[in-house]
Amino acid sequence: MHENRKPANLRQTYTHSGAAPLLSSNRFSVAPMLDWTDRHCRYFHRQLTGSTLLYTEMVTTGAIVHGKGDYLAYNEAEHPVALQLGGSDPAALAQCAQLAEQRGYDEINLNVGCPSDRVQNGRFGACLMGEAALVSDCIKAMRDVVSIPVTVKTRIGIDEQDSYVFLCDFVQTVSAQGGCDTFIIHARKAWLSGLSPKENREIPPLDYDRVYQLKRDFPHLTMAINGGVKSLEEAKAHLQHMDGVMMGREAYQNPGLLARVDRELFGSDAAAVDPVAVVRAMYPYIENELTKGTYLGHVTRHMLGLFQGIPGARQWRRYLSENAHKPGADVRVLEAALALVADKIPQEA
């Protein structure tokens, strides 16, 4: 058994301070984003917030079972961390869930929200909203073999199947038959044809009220809302109605806001996070990765938005973008970039 395996049915809670109230880690999370939330990104985000639940990029069952690489790799510092799986074969999902639990993941999440053609061709993602019984079978197969939480991330509808009744039927079926007790709801429907994944994140209108109503109608289920959340102030407003909030692109493009999450959303009384100290805290990790053949730019690309809104931020981004991919680039590149911005950061009283 993996030393990090969690006791049955326990959602671990995390805060920086023992005096702070213990709140579930799914109160705030960073969304799984393909090509963005890789292990380097998650390690960086963890330097900014200790309580936020971090998600992997979606990983298909085929990649885990048949791929040549280690698609379950992560750093122990990333906890709490959830693995998002893509697939629709209950047996394969169960196999992957077992492997993930053995590796110490804190949660398994099934993707029922991605609308890309490639994902549909593999019969997973948002198209599964039309197959609630199959989703139930998938969730039950995973829950039968692991003790960590198994959750679903979905949309409010697909194509013309976008009525509130359709959404309720989906949630009722997956919760009652599959045993799923936690849903992350992207407050937009998905068009399975005619729109790109990017357009599906922007064109279908957000309907937060529908998600709020879903939580009122299923009070016994844990529900988080996702889609278009751009600030912690908006997150706080959503938390008046929901159990949790998932933030996507804004958390990636403006990661500095994650430094406020533990204090403002989890009640921690820990000291304010210093972004310069966060950069330097990355040095041992980066140096270790460089010895493994990782290019500096593969890590620093996730750090470009750290100083957003601070004088010198543009110079920071430009310097890293121009120099991190050069042969032999190491932490000295980061030190030089910091010199362009560090003395311009306002000090908190």
Side-chain angles (χ1 to χ4, degrees):
M1 182 181 294
H2 194 283
E3 62 181 1
N4 288 317
R5 182 166 172 164
K6 306 297 184 293
N9 302 319
L10 175 65
R11 158 68 77 177
Q12 190 160 349
T13 53
Y14 296 75
T15 60
H16 279 303
S17 168
L22 288 174
L23 296 169
S24 173
S25 57
N26 61 20
R27 180 173 172 82
F28 185 83
S29 59
V30 175
M33 291 175 282
L34 202 58
D35 298 324
W36 286 11
T37 52
D38 63 17
R39 60 189 181 88
H40 305 311
C41 175
R42 299 191 304 270
Y43 187 92
F44 167 56
H45 284 175
R46 186 56 72 217
Q47 309 311 305
L48 292 157
T49 168
S51 301
T52 298
L53 178 60
L54 303 178
Y55 281 80
T56 69
E57 306 167 90
M58 181 185 67
V59 185
T60 66
T61 54
I64 295 171
V65 175
H66 304 294
K68 295 181 180 179
D70 181 2
Y71 289 91
L72 296 177
Y74 72 98
N75 189 289
E76 291 294 329
E78 294 174 32
H79 290 294
V81 59
L83 171 70
Q84 187 182 66
L85 287 174
S88 60
D89 175 42
L93 285 164
Q95 179 184 354
C96 292
Q98 278 188 305
L99 292 172
E101 183 175 47
Q102 290 166 7
R103 294 290 287 270
Y105 278 93
D106 299 286
E107 173 187 312
I108 306 296
N109 178 263
L110 181 65
N111 184 314
V112 189
C114 182
S116 78
D117 291 339
R118 182 177 64 85
V119 166
Q120 289 182 61
N121 290 338
R123 202 186 177 199
F124 52 93
C127 64
L128 289 178
M129 274 203 85
E131 299 187 67
L134 175 58
V135 174
S136 300
D137 290 344
C138 291
I139 296 298
K140 186 177 187 305
M142 290 187 280
R143 283 176 52 87
D144 283 348
V145 296
V146 301
S147 59
I148 56 177
V150 179
T151 67
V152 166
K153 185 174 188 293
T154 189
R155 296 274 185 143
I156 59 173
I158 50 172
D159 295 339
E160 302 302 334
Q161 296 175 289
D162 61 356
S163 70
Y164 184 64
V165 171
F166 170 77
L167 177 60
C168 288
D169 286 347
F170 175 82
V171 170
Q172 174 63 29
T173 300
V174 175
S175 61
Q177 297 180 18
C180 183
D181 58 11
T182 301
F183 292 79
I184 301 100
I185 311 291
H186 187 149
R188 288 185 175 94
K189 67 183 267 186
W191 286 102
L192 298 181
S193 60
L195 295 182
S196 70
K198 181 178 186 296
E199 290 170 330
N200 258 305
R201 292 192 298 268
E202 299 170 351
I203 292 177
L206 287 160
D207 192 345
Y208 293 139
D209 288 338
R210 179 173 295 199
V211 183
Y212 296 164
Q213 184 64 50
L214 191 70
K215 172 58 187 176
R216 288 194 293 269
D217 288 339
F218 294 88
H220 60 291
L221 300 178
T222 298
M223 289 192 182
I225 195 167
N226 170 233
V229 183
K230 296 185 180 301
S231 70
L232 296 192
E233 288 64 37
E234 291 179 20
K236 292 173 187 175
H238 287 307
L239 287 170
Q240 299 299 310
H241 307 273
M242 305 296 296
D243 302 302
V245 175
M246 174 180 278
M247 182 181 285
R249 285 167 289 169
E250 190 67 25
Y252 185 89
Q253 294 165 353
N254 182 19
L257 64 78
L258 295 176
R260 297 163 42 211
V261 167
D262 291 358
R263 295 201 297 172
E264 295 191 24
L265 299 185
F266 287 90
S268 170
D269 59 4
V273 177
D274 174 8
V276 174
V278 165
V279 173
R280 290 182 172 142
M282 291 291 294
Y283 290 179
Y285 174 84
I286 289 172
E287 288 171 339
N288 182 54
E289 285 296 321
L290 293 177
T291 66
K292 299 176 182 178
T294 302
Y295 290 105
L296 178 66
H298 290 170
V299 181
T300 58
R301 71 186 182 98
H302 305 297
M303 303 168 65
L304 295 178
L306 179 60
F307 296 104
Q308 185 169 309
I310 295 172
R314 182 176 299 176
Q315 289 90 336
W316 155 267
R317 292 193 300 270
R318 179 184 300 157
Y319 192 89
L320 286 183
S321 298
E322 292 177 352
N323 294 281
H325 291 279
K326 292 181 178 178
D330 57 21
V331 295
R332 289 173 294 184
V333 171
L334 281 158
E335 274 296 303
L338 276 179
L340 301 171
V341 70
D343 61 349
K344 301 179 179 68
I345 299 174
Q347 298 300 307
E348 192 167 305

PDB file of all heavy atoms in Angstrom, residues 36 242 262 270 300:
ATOM      1  N   TRP A  36      -1.709  22.936 -19.785  1.00  0.00           N
ATOM      2  CA  TRP A  36      -1.394  23.994 -18.818  1.00  0.00           C
ATOM      3  C   TRP A  36      -1.087  23.437 -17.428  1.00  0.00           C
ATOM      4  O   TRP A  36      -0.016  23.697 -16.898  1.00  0.00           O
ATOM      5  CB  TRP A  36      -2.569  24.985 -18.729  1.00  0.00           C
ATOM      6  CG  TRP A  36      -2.690  25.889 -19.921  1.00  0.00           C
ATOM      7  CD1 TRP A  36      -2.024  25.775 -21.119  1.00  0.00           C
ATOM      8  CD2 TRP A  36      -3.540  27.032 -20.053  1.00  0.00           C
ATOM      9  NE1 TRP A  36      -2.417  26.775 -21.974  1.00  0.00           N
ATOM     10  CE2 TRP A  36      -3.341  27.561 -21.348  1.00  0.00           C
ATOM     11  CE3 TRP A  36      -4.460  27.646 -19.214  1.00  0.00           C
ATOM     12  CZ2 TRP A  36      -4.023  28.693 -21.796  1.00  0.00           C
ATOM     13  CZ3 TRP A  36      -5.146  28.774 -19.662  1.00  0.00           C
ATOM     14  CH2 TRP A  36      -4.918  29.291 -20.944  1.00  0.00           C
ATOM     15  N   MET A 242     -22.785  27.877  -3.199  1.00  0.00           N
ATOM     16  CA  MET A 242     -22.181  26.600  -3.550  1.00  0.00           C
ATOM     17  C   MET A 242     -21.195  26.140  -2.482  1.00  0.00           C
ATOM     18  O   MET A 242     -20.739  26.922  -1.649  1.00  0.00           O
ATOM     19  CB  MET A 242     -21.448  26.719  -4.900  1.00  0.00           C
ATOM     20  CG  MET A 242     -22.300  27.241  -6.048  1.00  0.00           C
ATOM     21  SD  MET A 242     -23.680  26.160  -6.486  1.00  0.00           S
ATOM     22  CE  MET A 242     -22.807  24.686  -7.056  1.00  0.00           C
ATOM     23  N   ASP A 262      -5.585  31.170   0.625  1.00  0.00           N
ATOM     24  CA  ASP A 262      -5.593  30.513   1.930  1.00  0.00           C
ATOM     25  C   ASP A 262      -6.158  31.421   3.014  1.00  0.00           C
ATOM     26  O   ASP A 262      -6.913  30.977   3.884  1.00  0.00           O
ATOM     27  CB  ASP A 262      -4.177  30.066   2.311  1.00  0.00           C
ATOM     28  CG  ASP A 262      -3.682  28.924   1.438  1.00  0.00           C
ATOM     29  OD1 ASP A 262      -4.443  28.464   0.573  1.00  0.00           O
ATOM     30  OD2 ASP A 262      -2.529  28.502   1.618  1.00  0.00           O
ATOM     31  N   ALA A 270      -1.910  32.680   8.218  1.00  0.00           N
ATOM     32  CA  ALA A 270      -0.494  32.644   7.845  1.00  0.00           C
ATOM     33  C   ALA A 270      -0.081  33.981   7.243  1.00  0.00           C
ATOM     34  O   ALA A 270      -0.907  34.767   6.773  1.00  0.00           O
ATOM     35  CB  ALA A 270      -0.244  31.522   6.835  1.00  0.00           C
ATOM     36  N   THR A 300       9.230  27.650 -16.315  1.00  0.00           N
ATOM     37  CA  THR A 300       8.983  29.090 -16.175  1.00  0.00           C
ATOM     38  C   THR A 300       7.801  29.591 -17.003  1.00  0.00           C
ATOM     39  O   THR A 300       7.252  30.649 -16.712  1.00  0.00           O
ATOM     40  CB  THR A 300      10.228  29.904 -16.544  1.00  0.00           C
ATOM     41  OG1 THR A 300      10.612  29.597 -17.899  1.00  0.00           O
ATOM     42  CG2 THR A 300      11.379  29.586 -15.596  1.00  0.00           C
TER      43      THR A 300
END
